[in-house]
Short mmCIF file of all heavy atoms in Angstrom, two decimals:
data_model
loop_
_atom_site.label_atom_id
_atom_site.label_comp_id
_atom_site.label_asym_id
_atom_site.label_seq_id
_atom_site.Cartn_x
_atom_site.Cartn_y
_atom_site.Cartn_z
N ASP A 1 0.82 -1.21 0.00
CA ASP A 1 0.00 0.00 0.00
C ASP A 1 0.86 1.26 0.00
O ASP A 1 0.52 2.27 0.65
CB ASP A 1 -0.94 0.01 1.22
CG ASP A 1 -1.90 -1.16 1.21
OD1 ASP A 1 -2.36 -1.53 0.12
OD2 ASP A 1 -2.18 -1.71 2.30
N GLY A 2 1.99 1.22 -0.70
CA GLY A 2 2.86 2.38 -0.80
C GLY A 2 3.78 2.57 0.38
O GLY A 2 4.59 3.52 0.41
N ASN A 3 3.70 1.69 1.38
CA ASN A 3 4.54 1.80 2.58
C ASN A 3 5.42 0.56 2.73
O ASN A 3 5.32 -0.40 1.97
CB ASN A 3 3.67 1.99 3.82
CG ASN A 3 3.00 3.35 3.84
OD1 ASN A 3 3.66 4.38 3.90
ND2 ASN A 3 1.67 3.36 3.77
N ASN A 4 6.28 0.60 3.75
CA ASN A 4 7.27 -0.46 3.95
C ASN A 4 6.78 -1.55 4.89
O ASN A 4 6.36 -1.25 6.02
CB ASN A 4 8.56 0.12 4.54
CG ASN A 4 9.29 1.01 3.57
OD1 ASN A 4 8.88 1.18 2.42
ND2 ASN A 4 10.40 1.58 4.02
N TRP A 5 6.87 -2.78 4.43
CA TRP A 5 6.67 -3.94 5.31
C TRP A 5 8.00 -4.69 5.35
O TRP A 5 8.58 -4.99 4.32
CB TRP A 5 5.56 -4.85 4.78
CG TRP A 5 5.20 -5.92 5.77
CD1 TRP A 5 5.85 -7.12 5.97
CD2 TRP A 5 4.14 -5.88 6.73
NE1 TRP A 5 5.27 -7.82 6.99
CE2 TRP A 5 4.21 -7.09 7.48
CE3 TRP A 5 3.14 -4.96 7.02
CZ2 TRP A 5 3.31 -7.39 8.50
CZ3 TRP A 5 2.25 -5.26 8.05
CH2 TRP A 5 2.33 -6.45 8.78
N TYR A 6 8.46 -5.00 6.57
CA TYR A 6 9.76 -5.64 6.75
C TYR A 6 9.56 -7.14 6.98
O TYR A 6 9.02 -7.55 8.01
CB TYR A 6 10.50 -4.96 7.90
CG TYR A 6 10.56 -3.46 7.70
CD1 TYR A 6 9.91 -2.59 8.58
CD2 TYR A 6 11.23 -2.91 6.60
CE1 TYR A 6 9.93 -1.21 8.37
CE2 TYR A 6 11.25 -1.54 6.39
CZ TYR A 6 10.60 -0.69 7.27
OH TYR A 6 10.61 0.67 7.05
N GLU A 7 9.98 -7.91 6.01
CA GLU A 7 9.67 -9.34 5.97
C GLU A 7 10.58 -10.16 6.89
O GLU A 7 11.80 -10.05 6.84
CB GLU A 7 9.79 -9.86 4.53
CG GLU A 7 9.46 -11.33 4.38
CD GLU A 7 8.11 -11.67 4.99
OE1 GLU A 7 7.08 -11.16 4.50
OE2 GLU A 7 8.09 -12.44 5.97
N GLU A 8 9.94 -10.99 7.72
CA GLU A 8 10.70 -11.86 8.62
C GLU A 8 11.34 -13.02 7.87
O GLU A 8 12.42 -13.48 8.25
CB GLU A 8 9.78 -12.40 9.72
CG GLU A 8 10.51 -13.29 10.71
CD GLU A 8 9.67 -13.71 11.89
OE1 GLU A 8 8.56 -13.16 12.07
OE2 GLU A 8 10.12 -14.59 12.65
N TYR A 9 10.69 -13.52 6.83
CA TYR A 9 11.21 -14.66 6.06
C TYR A 9 11.36 -14.24 4.61
O TYR A 9 10.40 -14.28 3.83
CB TYR A 9 10.26 -15.85 6.18
CG TYR A 9 10.06 -16.31 7.61
CD1 TYR A 9 8.85 -16.10 8.26
CD2 TYR A 9 11.09 -16.93 8.30
CE1 TYR A 9 8.67 -16.52 9.57
CE2 TYR A 9 10.93 -17.34 9.62
CZ TYR A 9 9.72 -17.13 10.25
OH TYR A 9 9.55 -17.55 11.54
N ALA A 10 12.56 -13.82 4.24
CA ALA A 10 12.78 -13.22 2.93
C ALA A 10 13.74 -14.04 2.08
O ALA A 10 14.84 -14.38 2.53
CB ALA A 10 13.33 -11.81 3.09
N GLN A 11 13.33 -14.33 0.86
CA GLN A 11 14.19 -15.01 -0.10
C GLN A 11 13.65 -14.78 -1.51
O GLN A 11 12.44 -14.84 -1.73
CB GLN A 11 14.28 -16.52 0.19
CG GLN A 11 15.32 -17.26 -0.63
CD GLN A 11 15.58 -18.66 -0.09
OE1 GLN A 11 14.65 -19.41 0.22
NE2 GLN A 11 16.84 -19.01 0.06
N LYS A 12 14.55 -14.51 -2.42
CA LYS A 12 14.15 -14.32 -3.81
C LYS A 12 13.37 -15.53 -4.30
O LYS A 12 13.76 -16.68 -4.04
CB LYS A 12 15.37 -14.13 -4.70
CG LYS A 12 16.16 -12.87 -4.47
CD LYS A 12 17.36 -12.83 -5.41
CE LYS A 12 18.27 -11.65 -5.11
NZ LYS A 12 19.46 -11.63 -6.02
N GLY A 13 12.28 -15.30 -5.01
CA GLY A 13 11.50 -16.39 -5.59
C GLY A 13 10.51 -17.03 -4.64
O GLY A 13 9.76 -17.92 -5.03
N VAL A 14 10.49 -16.59 -3.36
CA VAL A 14 9.55 -17.12 -2.37
C VAL A 14 8.55 -16.02 -2.02
O VAL A 14 8.94 -14.89 -1.70
CB VAL A 14 10.28 -17.59 -1.09
CG1 VAL A 14 9.28 -18.05 -0.04
CG2 VAL A 14 11.27 -18.71 -1.42
N GLU A 15 7.26 -16.35 -2.10
CA GLU A 15 6.24 -15.35 -1.78
C GLU A 15 6.34 -14.93 -0.31
O GLU A 15 6.38 -15.77 0.58
CB GLU A 15 4.84 -15.93 -2.04
CG GLU A 15 3.73 -14.91 -1.86
CD GLU A 15 2.36 -15.45 -2.21
OE1 GLU A 15 2.28 -16.60 -2.72
OE2 GLU A 15 1.37 -14.74 -1.99
N SER A 16 6.40 -13.65 -0.07
CA SER A 16 6.58 -13.14 1.30
C SER A 16 5.32 -13.38 2.13
O SER A 16 4.24 -12.93 1.75
CB SER A 16 6.90 -11.64 1.26
OG SER A 16 8.11 -11.41 0.59
N PRO A 17 5.46 -14.04 3.30
CA PRO A 17 4.28 -14.33 4.12
C PRO A 17 3.82 -13.16 4.99
O PRO A 17 2.78 -13.26 5.63
CB PRO A 17 4.76 -15.50 4.99
CG PRO A 17 6.24 -15.31 5.09
CD PRO A 17 6.66 -14.73 3.77
N LEU A 18 4.60 -12.07 5.03
CA LEU A 18 4.21 -10.87 5.79
C LEU A 18 3.84 -11.22 7.23
O LEU A 18 2.70 -11.05 7.67
CB LEU A 18 3.05 -10.14 5.09
CG LEU A 18 3.27 -9.76 3.63
CD1 LEU A 18 2.06 -9.01 3.07
CD2 LEU A 18 4.53 -8.92 3.46
N VAL A 19 4.81 -11.70 7.97
CA VAL A 19 4.60 -12.13 9.36
C VAL A 19 4.44 -10.91 10.26
O VAL A 19 5.29 -10.00 10.27
CB VAL A 19 5.78 -13.00 9.82
CG1 VAL A 19 5.66 -13.34 11.30
CG2 VAL A 19 5.85 -14.28 8.97
N LEU A 20 3.37 -10.89 11.03
CA LEU A 20 3.01 -9.72 11.83
C LEU A 20 4.03 -9.41 12.92
O LEU A 20 4.52 -8.30 13.03
CB LEU A 20 1.62 -9.92 12.44
CG LEU A 20 1.11 -8.79 13.34
CD1 LEU A 20 1.06 -7.47 12.59
CD2 LEU A 20 -0.27 -9.14 13.90
N ASN A 21 4.34 -10.39 13.76
CA ASN A 21 5.22 -10.09 14.89
C ASN A 21 6.62 -9.71 14.42
O ASN A 21 7.27 -8.87 15.04
CB ASN A 21 5.27 -11.28 15.86
CG ASN A 21 6.29 -12.33 15.48
OD1 ASN A 21 7.45 -12.28 15.86
ND2 ASN A 21 5.84 -13.32 14.69
N GLY A 22 7.09 -10.31 13.30
CA GLY A 22 8.41 -9.97 12.79
C GLY A 22 8.51 -8.52 12.35
O GLY A 22 9.49 -7.82 12.65
N HIS A 23 7.50 -8.05 11.62
CA HIS A 23 7.46 -6.66 11.19
C HIS A 23 7.46 -5.72 12.40
O HIS A 23 8.19 -4.72 12.43
CB HIS A 23 6.21 -6.43 10.35
CG HIS A 23 6.00 -5.00 9.95
ND1 HIS A 23 6.71 -4.38 8.95
CD2 HIS A 23 5.15 -4.05 10.44
CE1 HIS A 23 6.32 -3.12 8.82
NE2 HIS A 23 5.37 -2.90 9.71
N ASN A 24 6.68 -6.07 13.41
CA ASN A 24 6.60 -5.22 14.60
C ASN A 24 7.93 -5.13 15.33
O ASN A 24 8.32 -4.04 15.81
CB ASN A 24 5.53 -5.76 15.56
CG ASN A 24 4.13 -5.66 14.98
OD1 ASN A 24 3.89 -4.88 14.06
ND2 ASN A 24 3.21 -6.45 15.50
N TYR A 25 8.65 -6.24 15.43
CA TYR A 25 9.94 -6.21 16.10
C TYR A 25 10.94 -5.34 15.34
O TYR A 25 11.80 -4.68 15.96
CB TYR A 25 10.50 -7.62 16.25
CG TYR A 25 9.98 -8.36 17.47
CD1 TYR A 25 9.40 -9.62 17.35
CD2 TYR A 25 10.08 -7.81 18.74
CE1 TYR A 25 8.93 -10.30 18.47
CE2 TYR A 25 9.61 -8.47 19.86
CZ TYR A 25 9.03 -9.72 19.72
OH TYR A 25 8.56 -10.39 20.83
N VAL A 26 10.85 -5.32 14.02
CA VAL A 26 11.71 -4.43 13.24
C VAL A 26 11.40 -2.97 13.59
O VAL A 26 12.30 -2.14 13.72
CB VAL A 26 11.56 -4.67 11.73
CG1 VAL A 26 12.41 -3.66 10.94
CG2 VAL A 26 12.00 -6.08 11.36
N LEU A 27 10.11 -2.66 13.75
CA LEU A 27 9.72 -1.29 14.13
C LEU A 27 10.36 -0.90 15.47
O LEU A 27 10.84 0.24 15.62
CB LEU A 27 8.20 -1.18 14.23
CG LEU A 27 7.41 -1.32 12.93
CD1 LEU A 27 5.91 -1.15 13.20
CD2 LEU A 27 7.87 -0.31 11.88
N PHE A 28 10.37 -1.83 16.42
CA PHE A 28 10.97 -1.52 17.72
C PHE A 28 12.48 -1.28 17.59
O PHE A 28 13.04 -0.41 18.27
CB PHE A 28 10.71 -2.64 18.72
CG PHE A 28 9.24 -2.89 18.99
CD1 PHE A 28 8.76 -4.17 19.22
CD2 PHE A 28 8.35 -1.84 19.01
CE1 PHE A 28 7.42 -4.40 19.47
CE2 PHE A 28 6.99 -2.05 19.25
CZ PHE A 28 6.53 -3.33 19.48
N ALA A 29 13.12 -2.06 16.73
CA ALA A 29 14.55 -1.88 16.50
C ALA A 29 14.81 -0.51 15.87
O ALA A 29 15.74 0.22 16.26
CB ALA A 29 15.09 -2.99 15.59
N LEU A 30 14.00 -0.14 14.89
CA LEU A 30 14.16 1.16 14.23
C LEU A 30 13.91 2.32 15.20
O LEU A 30 14.60 3.35 15.14
CB LEU A 30 13.20 1.27 13.05
CG LEU A 30 13.55 0.40 11.83
CD1 LEU A 30 12.39 0.39 10.84
CD2 LEU A 30 14.83 0.89 11.15
N GLU A 31 12.95 2.14 16.09
CA GLU A 31 12.62 3.20 17.03
C GLU A 31 13.82 3.51 17.94
O GLU A 31 14.13 4.68 18.19
CB GLU A 31 11.40 2.81 17.86
CG GLU A 31 10.71 3.96 18.56
CD GLU A 31 11.39 4.36 19.86
OE1 GLU A 31 12.02 3.49 20.49
OE2 GLU A 31 11.29 5.55 20.24
N ILE A 32 14.49 2.45 18.40
CA ILE A 32 15.62 2.66 19.30
C ILE A 32 16.85 3.19 18.54
O ILE A 32 17.75 3.79 19.12
CB ILE A 32 15.97 1.35 20.06
CG1 ILE A 32 16.81 1.64 21.30
CG2 ILE A 32 16.71 0.36 19.16
CD1 ILE A 32 16.06 2.31 22.41
N LEU A 33 16.85 3.00 17.21
CA LEU A 33 17.99 3.44 16.39
C LEU A 33 17.81 4.85 15.83
O LEU A 33 18.72 5.37 15.17
CB LEU A 33 18.21 2.45 15.23
CG LEU A 33 18.82 1.11 15.60
CD1 LEU A 33 18.64 0.11 14.46
CD2 LEU A 33 20.30 1.26 15.94
N LYS A 34 16.68 5.46 16.07
CA LYS A 34 16.38 6.77 15.48
C LYS A 34 17.48 7.80 15.71
O LYS A 34 17.82 8.59 14.83
CB LYS A 34 15.06 7.31 16.04
CG LYS A 34 13.81 6.71 15.43
CD LYS A 34 12.59 7.37 16.06
CE LYS A 34 11.29 6.84 15.48
NZ LYS A 34 10.12 7.50 16.08
N LYS A 35 18.04 7.82 16.91
CA LYS A 35 19.04 8.83 17.26
C LYS A 35 20.43 8.48 16.73
O LYS A 35 21.36 9.29 16.86
CB LYS A 35 19.11 9.01 18.78
CG LYS A 35 17.84 9.57 19.39
CD LYS A 35 17.97 9.72 20.90
CE LYS A 35 16.70 10.27 21.52
NZ LYS A 35 16.81 10.38 23.01
N HIS A 36 20.56 7.29 16.14
CA HIS A 36 21.88 6.82 15.75
C HIS A 36 22.01 6.54 14.25
O HIS A 36 23.11 6.26 13.77
CB HIS A 36 22.23 5.55 16.53
CG HIS A 36 22.05 5.69 18.00
ND1 HIS A 36 23.02 6.23 18.82
CD2 HIS A 36 20.99 5.40 18.82
CE1 HIS A 36 22.58 6.25 20.07
NE2 HIS A 36 21.35 5.74 20.10
N ASN A 37 20.90 6.62 13.52
CA ASN A 37 20.91 6.38 12.09
C ASN A 37 19.85 7.27 11.44
O ASN A 37 18.67 7.21 11.81
CB ASN A 37 20.64 4.91 11.78
CG ASN A 37 20.66 4.60 10.30
OD1 ASN A 37 19.74 4.94 9.56
ND2 ASN A 37 21.72 3.94 9.84
N GLU A 38 20.26 8.08 10.48
CA GLU A 38 19.35 9.07 9.91
C GLU A 38 18.20 8.44 9.12
O GLU A 38 17.14 9.06 8.94
CB GLU A 38 20.12 10.03 9.01
CG GLU A 38 20.84 9.37 7.85
CD GLU A 38 21.67 10.35 7.04
OE1 GLU A 38 21.89 11.48 7.53
OE2 GLU A 38 22.08 9.99 5.93
N LYS A 39 18.37 7.21 8.63
CA LYS A 39 17.31 6.55 7.86
C LYS A 39 16.24 5.96 8.77
O LYS A 39 15.12 5.69 8.32
CB LYS A 39 17.89 5.43 7.00
CG LYS A 39 18.73 5.87 5.83
CD LYS A 39 19.14 4.66 5.00
CE LYS A 39 19.92 5.08 3.76
NZ LYS A 39 21.23 5.65 4.10
N ALA A 40 16.57 5.70 10.04
CA ALA A 40 15.69 4.93 10.93
C ALA A 40 14.32 5.58 11.12
O ALA A 40 13.30 4.89 11.16
CB ALA A 40 16.37 4.70 12.27
N THR A 41 14.28 6.89 11.24
CA THR A 41 13.00 7.57 11.48
C THR A 41 12.05 7.40 10.31
O THR A 41 10.87 7.08 10.48
CB THR A 41 13.23 9.07 11.75
OG1 THR A 41 14.03 9.23 12.93
CG2 THR A 41 11.90 9.79 11.95
N VAL A 42 12.56 7.61 9.10
CA VAL A 42 11.73 7.46 7.89
C VAL A 42 11.24 6.02 7.75
O VAL A 42 10.07 5.77 7.44
CB VAL A 42 12.52 7.88 6.63
CG1 VAL A 42 11.71 7.59 5.37
CG2 VAL A 42 12.89 9.36 6.70
N LEU A 43 12.14 5.07 8.00
CA LEU A 43 11.77 3.65 7.89
C LEU A 43 10.75 3.26 8.95
O LEU A 43 9.82 2.49 8.68
CB LEU A 43 13.02 2.77 8.01
CG LEU A 43 14.04 2.88 6.88
CD1 LEU A 43 15.29 2.06 7.19
CD2 LEU A 43 13.43 2.42 5.56
#
């Protein structure tokens, strides 16, 4: 939908299952990295 989903199980040629808890954990990692990486806030 025009936004980023961070795939827990990623491989070329394999349909992405879009795992809910995995995406959420990436968000938590990005949140803590906001002050240390300029891309983290946008992501």
Side-chain angles (χ1 to χ4, degrees):
D1 298 323
N3 291 297
N4 292 358
W5 189 278
Y6 307 115
E7 181 52 64
E8 181 173 350
Y9 301 109
Q11 189 167 46
K12 294 179 186 179
V14 176
E15 186 176 354
S16 297
L18 305 182
V19 174
L20 179 58
N21 85 89
H23 175 77
N24 293 340
Y25 276 127
V26 176
L27 293 181
F28 299 145
L30 288 169
E31 197 279 332
I32 199 71
L33 286 165
K34 281 182 179 181
K35 295 180 180 178
H36 309 276
N37 181 286
E38 60 184 14
K39 290 185 176 68
T41 298
V42 174
L43 293 174

